[in-house]
Amino acid sequence: MAEFGVAQVLLDEVRPLLEEPPALEVLAGRTPGSEAVTAVISHNVRPGREGDYTRWQDRVHRAEERFPGFLGFEAFAPVPGIQSHWVVMTRLDTREHLENWLASDTRRKLLDEGRDCVVDFDVRTVKSAFGGWFRFGGGAAGEGVPPNWKQAMCVLLALYPTVMALNLTVSRVLTGAGLPLYLVLFIGNVLSVAILTWVLMPLVNRAFAAWLRPDVPRSFLAGAAGAVVIVLCYALSIAVFAVITR
């Protein structure tokens, strides 16, 4: 494979700078599924107990690795002058597996062990790619939202005509008035986000609610039919702007 050949050449170039011969290691990782959920946990650690905290966090990590659905774990120390909390990000393949871990007796016992070095902590879950643009059922963040691929299709459906319309109107006016490109683009982005947030995305949500809602049972054919309808809307939108810009 060409990539490995390039990597070997780079290793050969850096060899004189190394004390020991370099080795090329190939690791096969696991790709998270579309439903993967990340828990972001921030800890306020007692002063002087940082060493105890890191050792305790290692025990938490080892225990979590044995739970079904575990995908990954990252820990971040405080950044002086910016934020004083320790932050842990842990990813599991489904919300169910994440909730099983968060509510497990194993984790509860570990939390009891860590109370001496941790003042308090905050847990947040992250799943949705487009956050507040999609929310059904009024649940917490990550609940009541459709899969990321459906969100992406709907955002593109609203984003393309918005950007095209602004480019043909506002951007031309601002450019003709002599404004620099960076300001034209910034103003266009502000208007795009505003239009999507308060006008088009609510309309798209209502129009495709039956297809987007995660709590509505549907067959594979029904899900595919919704995707086909959106693709046809793409084609119609492109055709309209092709005529306008001709």
Side-chain angles (χ1 to χ4, degrees), residues 127-152:
K127 175 183 175 183
S128 172
F130 295 100
W133 280 345
F134 298 90
R135 185 74 71 244
F136 298 98
E143 296 179 355
V145 295
N148 287 342
W149 67 272
K150 289 187 176 182
Q151 296 182 47

Side-chain angles (χ1 to χ4, degrees), residues 17-209:
L17 304 177
L18 304 177
E19 293 183 359
E20 298 181 359
L24 177 61
E25 306 287 351
V26 180
L27 305 177
R30 180 178 180 183
T31 302
S34 61
E35 299 303 314
V37 184
T38 300
V40 181
I41 307 171
S42 59
H43 295 104
N44 187 6
V45 179
R46 298 182 190 278
R49 303 295 301 274
E50 292 80 6
D52 294 332
Y53 169 80
T54 56
R55 288 187 287 272
W56 169 73
Q57 196 59 252
D58 287 340
R59 295 198 301 274
V60 174
H61 182 198
R62 289 194 297 271
E64 185 181 19
E65 284 181 322
R66 297 192 290 268
F67 264 69
F70 175 80
L71 294 178
F73 174 97
E74 290 183 275
F76 302 90
V79 179
I82 298 178
Q83 64 97 8
S84 60
H85 289 82
W86 293 69
V87 179
V88 171
M89 296 178 61
T90 180
R91 179 182 294 117
L92 284 89
D93 58 354
T94 65
R95 175 170 289 277
E96 181 182 5
H97 281 153
L98 176 62
E99 291 176 348
N100 288 343
W101 159 246
L102 294 178
S104 66
D105 291 336
T106 300
R107 182 173 180 271
R108 191 175 298 111
K109 291 177 182 177
L110 286 166
L111 289 178
D112 289 338
E113 294 176 10
R115 293 192 188 282
D116 288 341
C117 57
V118 175
V119 178
D120 56 36
F121 66 93
D122 178 63
V123 180
R124 301 179 184 221
T125 59
V126 180
K127 175 183 175 183
S128 172
F130 295 100
W133 280 345
F134 298 90
R135 185 74 71 244
F136 298 98
E143 296 179 355
V145 295
N148 287 342
W149 67 272
K150 289 187 176 182
Q151 296 182 47
M153 290 189 74
C154 287
V155 170
L156 179 58
L157 179 63
L159 180 62
Y160 174 72
T162 301
V163 172
M164 284 298 297
L166 289 175
N167 282 340
L168 294 173
T169 55
V170 176
S171 293
R172 288 187 177 180
V173 171
L174 295 178
T175 302
L179 266 68
L181 178 61
Y182 61 86
L183 273 182
V184 174
L185 289 176
F186 176 77
I187 294 172
N189 287 336
V190 170
L191 293 175
S192 295
V193 171
I195 292 170
L196 288 174
T197 301
W198 289 292
V199 180
L200 291 185
M201 289 313 302
L203 292 176
V204 170
N205 274 337
R206 286 197 292 272
F208 292 94

